[in-house]
């Protein structure tokens, strides 16, 4: 296994060149205009898995975008690691804020990435991180050090809710049987501070529509006499938080797990600089639920946020109008034990109940999912710890993340499998934002760490 560093040194230029080819493919699952690119990307992932040494690779058709599935079985008596990742990416917009074309990858040095980072949509989330597993497999197969069986399941709908993967998992229990699921689709604290993600938040996402009169009205003739849906909607939204920034939906916090002081103290040991945090975001103060630290607010506490709001006249100049309709997209990040369906119901009931007479309210649920916590007292988690020690020379810190990968809870429910969230991105890598990038250091460190995970998972 000590040969992994050499193998990476000899092959890193090719690894990077191959990743760049994958990043050129605009696999945007949210936009049907890219559906052919999605299929092409699935093909490219299939070819990459074949080249890396999987002996059975298939494109699995689904009601939506295909899932790329691959296997390498060396001995059915040995354990099986199931690698999950996604080949779809977020839309690139706002495109004008990119310094280079999102699908023409370029390598640039940054303060945080002095060895260079690849700038492209999907560089970190998740093509770059998924591809580390393909290259780690290549190393293990070529050098005869793969210590167990491996399965790959790379989906194309993570960014739009994993609808087809849920269907696939429910229908393929036997095929997907495994001893542990390994995922690199999260972040770590810093390049010199390895960490392992031990929790993900759940998600409830809804769209709301407020309707007033049956048509847009002259705001002079009717203003003041009928409900303005935008005025009403913004007032309703404002009422969803109280003066302590707690969410006012009745029973919203009923199932929230309160961490003990000891657990919170443990969390507070992870390095975090509020000053650096504020500086990086160009804000003079943080904002959030009273009684919790910034780290806690962004990981172990539930939230409610408006993601977008629209209605009325937003064109040039002024148009005097009372719009007939107003809309908003609202997401709630949930913590373990909060059930996303239940929260969507509580939201809907409450939102309907606070609507004043004179408007009608419609709530439409989008996708969602449950949160997840990885137990740390398992051989699999300990293998990840030892793997980081081997590659970084440092003990990794357990960190609860604020992000969501809803399918992880479903893996546990359907397959009875736990997941190890061994991510190598940084929060500053601008995933979902313009100028997304992934450090070359991070990409190569991931490839180096993964074989150690296999090693320690099998040789406990
Ligand atoms: N890879 C991210 C989730 C993530 C990123 C978790 C960094 C932890 C650290 C994933 O692709 C993602 O974007 N998830 C969405 C939810 C999904 C249902 C669209 C999210 O968290 O908003
Ligand atoms: Mn992702
Ligand atoms: Mn994402």
């Amino acid at each position: 296994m000590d040969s992994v560093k050499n193998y990476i040194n000899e092959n890193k230029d090719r690894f990077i060149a191959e990743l760049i080819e994958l990043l050129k493919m605009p696999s945007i699952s949210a936009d049907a205009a890219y559906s052919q690119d999605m299929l092409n990307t699935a093909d490219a992932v299939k070819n990459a898995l074949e080249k890396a040494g999987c002996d059975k690779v298939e494109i699995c058709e689904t009601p939506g975008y295909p899932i790329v599935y691959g296997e390498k079985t060396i001995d059915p008596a040995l354990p099986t690691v199931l690698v999950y990742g996604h080949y779809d990416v977020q839309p690139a917009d706002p495109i004008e804020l990119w310094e280079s074309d999102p699908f023409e990858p370029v390598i640039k040095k940054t303060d945080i990435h002095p060895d260079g980072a690849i700038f492209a949509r999907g560089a970190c989330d998740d093509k770059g991180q998924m591809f580390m597993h393909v290259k780690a497999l290549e190393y293990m197969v070529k050098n005869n050090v793969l210590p167990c069986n491996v399965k790959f399941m790379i989906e194309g709908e993570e960014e739009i809710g994993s609808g087809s993967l849920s269907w696939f998992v429910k229908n393929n229990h036997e095929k997907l049987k495994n001893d542990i699921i390994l995922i690199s689709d999260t972040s770590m604290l810093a390049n010199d501070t390895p960490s392992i993600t031990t929790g993900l938040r759940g998600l409830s996402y809804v769209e709301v529509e407020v309707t007033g009169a049956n048509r847009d009205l002259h705001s002079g003739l009717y203003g003041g006499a009928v409900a303005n849906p935008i005025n009403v909607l913004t007032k309703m939204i404002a009422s969803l938080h109280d003066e302590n920034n707690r969410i006012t939906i009745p029973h919203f916090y009923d199932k929230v797990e309160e961490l003990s002081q000891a657990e919170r103290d443990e969390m507070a040991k992870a390095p975090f600089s509020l000053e650096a945090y504020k500086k990086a975001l160009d804000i003079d103060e943080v904002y959030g639920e009273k009684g919790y630290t910034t780290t806690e607010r962004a990981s172990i506490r539930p939230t409610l946020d408006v993601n977008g709001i629209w209605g009325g006249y937003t064109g040039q100049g002024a148009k005097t109008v009372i719009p007939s309709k107003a809309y908003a997209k609202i997401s709630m990040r949930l913590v373990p034990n909060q059930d996303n369906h239940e929260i969507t119901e509580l939201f809907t009931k409450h939102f309907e109940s606070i609507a004043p007479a004179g408007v009608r309210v419609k709530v439409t649920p989008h996708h969602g999912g449950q949160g997840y916590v990885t137990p740390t007292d398992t051989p699999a988690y300990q293998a990840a710890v030892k793997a980081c020690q081997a590659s970084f020379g440092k003990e990794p810190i357990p960190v609860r993340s604020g992000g969501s990968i809803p399918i992880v809870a479903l893996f546990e429910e359907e397959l009875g499998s736990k997941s190890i969230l061994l991510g190598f991105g940084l929060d500053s890598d601008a995933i979902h934002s313009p100028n997304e990038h992934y450090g070359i250091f991070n990409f190569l460190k991931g490839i180096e760490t993964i074989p150690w995970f296999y090693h320690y998972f099998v040789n406990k």
Side-chain angles (χ1 to χ4, degrees):
M1 194 69 78
D2 300 309
S3 61
V4 64
K5 268 193 160 151
N6 284 336
Y7 189 79
I8 291 170
N9 268 328
E10 282 158 18
N11 293 283
K12 62 182 177 206
D13 292 344
R14 176 174 57 84
F15 291 172
I16 293 165
E18 288 174 2
L19 173 58
I20 283 177
E21 286 311 304
L22 198 59
L23 291 171
K24 285 184 184 169
M25 310 181 89
S27 48
I28 303 171
S29 51
D31 187 342
Y34 296 91
S35 55
Q36 187 56 49
D37 298 290
M38 287 293 295
L39 303 181
N40 296 347
T41 309
D43 267 330
V45 172
K46 173 176 183 268
N47 292 338
L49 284 172
E50 274 165 353
K51 257 181 59 190
C54 276
D55 30 47
K56 196 178 119 197
V57 189
E58 50 190 11
I59 300 267
C60 302
E61 298 302 332
T62 73
Y65 288 121
I67 290 157
V68 187
Y69 177 82
E71 260 180 38
K72 173 92 189 160
T73 304
I74 57 170
D75 178 353
L78 285 168
T80 299
V81 174
L82 173 67
V83 176
Y84 162 77
H86 60 95
Y87 66 83
D88 65 323
V89 303
Q90 283 279 324
D93 50 57
I95 193 96
E96 65 280 8
L97 295 182
W98 282 79
E99 282 167 23
S100 56
D101 188 310
F103 299 105
E104 280 301 334
V106 294
I107 298 178
K108 284 191 291 188
K109 290 187 185 357
T110 71
D111 290 348
I112 291 178
H113 296 294
D115 299 340
I118 307 175
F119 283 75
R121 171 56 86 227
C124 175
D125 184 12
D126 177 45
K127 283 176 179 165
Q129 297 215 63
M130 175 268 285
F131 201 62
M132 301 178 316
H133 289 268
V134 180
K135 294 297 105 180
L137 176 73
E138 176 192 303
Y139 157 73
M140 291 187 286
V141 171
K142 281 233 170 95
N143 293 276
N144 271 314
V145 291
L146 179 65
C148 62
N149 308 311
V150 52
K151 294 176 178 175
F152 274 77
M153 178 169 66
I154 313 298
E155 70 153 320
E157 295 181 11
E158 197 279 338
E159 300 292 6
I160 54 169
S162 299
S164 295
L165 186 62
S166 308
W167 169 87
F168 185 76
V169 169
K170 285 179 183 148
N171 288 290
N172 287 284
H173 283 192
E174 198 49 42
K175 186 188 188 91
L176 301 175
K177 237 177 132 189
N178 66 80
D179 296 280
I180 193 69
I181 298 179
L182 183 60
I183 305 173
S184 296
D185 193 22
T186 51
S187 38
M188 60 179 193
L189 286 171
N191 283 358
D192 59 0
T193 317
S195 60
I196 300 174
T197 299
T198 52
L200 295 163
R201 285 195 284 194
L203 183 67
S204 157
Y205 202 115
V206 297
E207 188 165 325
V208 299
E209 179 190 294
V210 175
T211 306
N214 57 3
R215 59 188 166 88
D216 286 7
L217 301 170
H218 188 288
S219 66
L221 298 181
Y222 290 93
V226 297
N228 177 328
I230 300 182
N231 294 9
V232 168
L233 174 61
T234 50
K235 198 168 164 180
M236 288 167 73
I237 287 172
S239 78
L240 296 176
H241 289 94
D242 69 12
E243 65 283 7
N244 293 324
N245 282 319
R246 275 176 72 87
I247 296 154
T248 55
I249 299 169
H251 303 293
F252 185 86
Y253 289 95
D254 281 6
K255 295 194 175 161
V256 169
E257 163 200 48
E258 297 288 340
L259 267 63
S260 67
Q261 195 53 48
E263 287 172 303
R264 293 176 71 185
D265 291 346
E266 194 55 40
M267 263 188 85
K269 284 188 193 156
F272 176 77
S273 157
L274 191 58
E275 279 320 304
Y277 185 85
K278 290 195 283 192
K279 193 160 171 251
L281 300 177
D282 210 359
I283 50 176
D284 56 10
E285 198 44 272
V286 290
Y287 187 95
E289 185 183 357
K290 195 176 168 188
Y292 294 91
T293 67
T294 294
T295 306
E296 290 169 341
R297 287 169 178 170
S299 62
I300 58 158
R301 299 300 296 167
T303 62
L304 183 151
D305 278 293
V306 179
N307 295 252
I309 183 162
W310 69 103
Y313 184 70
T314 55
Q316 258 190 36
K319 180 188 179 197
T320 49
V321 63
I322 294 176
S324 163
K325 284 178 185 289
Y327 306 84
K329 289 184 194 279
I330 297 174
S331 68
M332 287 159 278
R333 294 281 169 176
L334 311 176
V335 295
N337 298 340
Q338 280 185 300
D339 178 85
N340 72 301
H341 300 111
E342 205 175 304
I343 292 292
T344 302
E345 243 173 66
L346 289 176
F347 175 91
T348 305
K349 234 175 86 192
H350 178 67
F351 209 69
E352 287 169 354
S353 80
I354 59 174
V359 298
R360 275 164 290 140
V361 166
K362 195 167 107 190
V363 179
T364 311
H366 283 275
H367 55 74
Q370 313 288 80
Y372 183 73
V373 174
T374 306
T376 54
D377 56 353
T378 63
Y381 185 84
Q382 291 311 318
V385 168
K386 288 180 204 157
C388 288
Q389 275 167 337
S391 64
F392 287 90
K394 269 190 189 174
E395 172 110 3
I397 299 168
V399 171
R400 294 264 299 256
S401 173
S404 307
I405 312 176
I407 200 72
V408 172
L410 194 96
F411 289 155
E412 174 152 46
E413 205 180 302
E414 288 291 327
L415 306 173
S417 305
K418 303 272 185 217
S419 291
I420 296 293
L421 303 161
L422 190 58
F424 296 88
L426 299 181
D427 283 349
S428 56
D429 285 346
I431 65 171
H432 295 209
S433 300
N435 306 307
E436 174 177 354
H437 53 280
Y438 191 38
I440 303 279
F441 169 87
N442 304 68
F443 176 58
L444 300 178
K445 207 43 137 181
I447 301 172
E448 183 185 340
T449 308
I450 291 162
W452 286 112
F453 172 81
Y454 283 72
H455 173 78
Y456 287 117
F457 182 60
V458 178
N459 307 289
K460 283 164 188 121

PDB file of all heavy atoms in Angstrom, residues 86 90 125 158-159 185 431-432, ligand 3:
ATOM      1  N   HIS A  86     -22.216  11.114  -7.516  1.00  0.00           N
ATOM      2  CA  HIS A  86     -23.148  11.566  -8.564  1.00  0.00           C
ATOM      3  C   HIS A  86     -22.417  12.275  -9.690  1.00  0.00           C
ATOM      4  O   HIS A  86     -21.454  13.002  -9.454  1.00  0.00           O
ATOM      5  CB  HIS A  86     -24.296  12.416  -8.001  1.00  0.00           C
ATOM      6  CG  HIS A  86     -23.925  13.684  -7.289  1.00  0.00           C
ATOM      7  ND1 HIS A  86     -23.898  14.915  -7.928  1.00  0.00           N
ATOM      8  CD2 HIS A  86     -23.580  13.941  -6.008  1.00  0.00           C
ATOM      9  CE1 HIS A  86     -23.568  15.857  -7.062  1.00  0.00           C
ATOM     10  NE2 HIS A  86     -23.355  15.297  -5.883  1.00  0.00           N
ATOM     11  N   GLN A  90     -24.892  21.035 -10.685  1.00  0.00           N
ATOM     12  CA  GLN A  90     -25.831  22.148 -10.584  1.00  0.00           C
ATOM     13  C   GLN A  90     -25.776  22.994 -11.856  1.00  0.00           C
ATOM     14  O   GLN A  90     -24.746  23.046 -12.523  1.00  0.00           O
ATOM     15  CB  GLN A  90     -25.431  23.040  -9.406  1.00  0.00           C
ATOM     16  CG  GLN A  90     -25.800  22.484  -8.060  1.00  0.00           C
ATOM     17  CD  GLN A  90     -27.241  22.738  -7.704  1.00  0.00           C
ATOM     18  OE1 GLN A  90     -27.807  23.781  -8.020  1.00  0.00           O
ATOM     19  NE2 GLN A  90     -27.862  21.767  -7.063  1.00  0.00           N
ATOM     20  N   ASP A 125     -18.135  19.109  -6.583  1.00  0.00           N
ATOM     21  CA  ASP A 125     -19.461  18.513  -6.320  1.00  0.00           C
ATOM     22  C   ASP A 125     -20.062  18.007  -7.619  1.00  0.00           C
ATOM     23  O   ASP A 125     -20.736  18.745  -8.300  1.00  0.00           O
ATOM     24  CB  ASP A 125     -20.356  19.581  -5.668  1.00  0.00           C
ATOM     25  CG  ASP A 125     -21.712  19.050  -5.253  1.00  0.00           C
ATOM     26  OD1 ASP A 125     -21.913  17.827  -5.244  1.00  0.00           O
ATOM     27  OD2 ASP A 125     -22.586  19.886  -4.938  1.00  0.00           O
ATOM     28  N   GLU A 158     -28.723  13.489  -8.207  1.00  0.00           N
ATOM     29  CA  GLU A 158     -28.553  13.907  -6.814  1.00  0.00           C
ATOM     30  C   GLU A 158     -29.003  15.353  -6.615  1.00  0.00           C
ATOM     31  O   GLU A 158     -29.648  15.682  -5.623  1.00  0.00           O
ATOM     32  CB  GLU A 158     -27.089  13.754  -6.369  1.00  0.00           C
ATOM     33  CG  GLU A 158     -26.899  13.770  -4.846  1.00  0.00           C
ATOM     34  CD  GLU A 158     -26.882  15.158  -4.223  1.00  0.00           C
ATOM     35  OE1 GLU A 158     -26.608  16.140  -4.944  1.00  0.00           O
ATOM     36  OE2 GLU A 158     -27.160  15.273  -3.026  1.00  0.00           O
ATOM     37  N   GLU A 159     -28.657  16.203  -7.567  1.00  0.00           N
ATOM     38  CA  GLU A 159     -28.961  17.627  -7.392  1.00  0.00           C
ATOM     39  C   GLU A 159     -30.446  17.944  -7.574  1.00  0.00           C
ATOM     40  O   GLU A 159     -30.868  19.074  -7.355  1.00  0.00           O
ATOM     41  CB  GLU A 159     -28.114  18.476  -8.365  1.00  0.00           C
ATOM     42  CG  GLU A 159     -26.601  18.321  -8.190  1.00  0.00           C
ATOM     43  CD  GLU A 159     -26.067  18.883  -6.872  1.00  0.00           C
ATOM     44  OE1 GLU A 159     -26.870  19.309  -6.015  1.00  0.00           O
ATOM     45  OE2 GLU A 159     -24.834  18.895  -6.704  1.00  0.00           O
ATOM     46  N   ASP A 185     -18.599  13.262  -0.941  1.00  0.00           N
ATOM     47  CA  ASP A 185     -19.466  14.308  -1.502  1.00  0.00           C
ATOM     48  C   ASP A 185     -19.708  15.370  -0.434  1.00  0.00           C
ATOM     49  O   ASP A 185     -20.748  16.006  -0.399  1.00  0.00           O
ATOM     50  CB  ASP A 185     -20.788  13.665  -1.964  1.00  0.00           C
ATOM     51  CG  ASP A 185     -21.616  14.600  -2.833  1.00  0.00           C
ATOM     52  OD1 ASP A 185     -21.044  15.531  -3.417  1.00  0.00           O
ATOM     53  OD2 ASP A 185     -22.846  14.390  -2.922  1.00  0.00           O
ATOM     54  N   ILE A 431     -19.025  25.322  -4.186  1.00  0.00           N
ATOM     55  CA  ILE A 431     -19.961  24.402  -4.837  1.00  0.00           C
ATOM     56  C   ILE A 431     -21.311  25.103  -4.954  1.00  0.00           C
ATOM     57  O   ILE A 431     -21.676  25.915  -4.104  1.00  0.00           O
ATOM     58  CB  ILE A 431     -20.085  23.043  -4.098  1.00  0.00           C
ATOM     59  CG1 ILE A 431     -20.684  23.200  -2.703  1.00  0.00           C
ATOM     60  CG2 ILE A 431     -18.731  22.345  -4.001  1.00  0.00           C
ATOM     61  CD1 ILE A 431     -21.030  21.851  -2.045  1.00  0.00           C
ATOM     62  N   HIS A 432     -22.021  24.835  -6.020  1.00  0.00           N
ATOM     63  CA  HIS A 432     -23.317  25.464  -6.355  1.00  0.00           C
ATOM     64  C   HIS A 432     -23.161  26.948  -6.707  1.00  0.00           C
ATOM     65  O   HIS A 432     -24.154  27.600  -6.995  1.00  0.00           O
ATOM     66  CB  HIS A 432     -24.368  25.320  -5.243  1.00  0.00           C
ATOM     67  CG  HIS A 432     -24.791  23.909  -4.981  1.00  0.00           C
ATOM     68  ND1 HIS A 432     -26.042  23.574  -4.499  1.00  0.00           N
ATOM     69  CD2 HIS A 432     -24.147  22.724  -5.146  1.00  0.00           C
ATOM     70  CE1 HIS A 432     -26.131  22.255  -4.362  1.00  0.00           C
ATOM     71  NE2 HIS A 432     -24.987  21.716  -4.751  1.00  0.00           N
TER      72      HIS A 432
HETATM   73 MN1  LIG B   3     -24.657  19.599  -4.775  1.00  0.00          MN
END
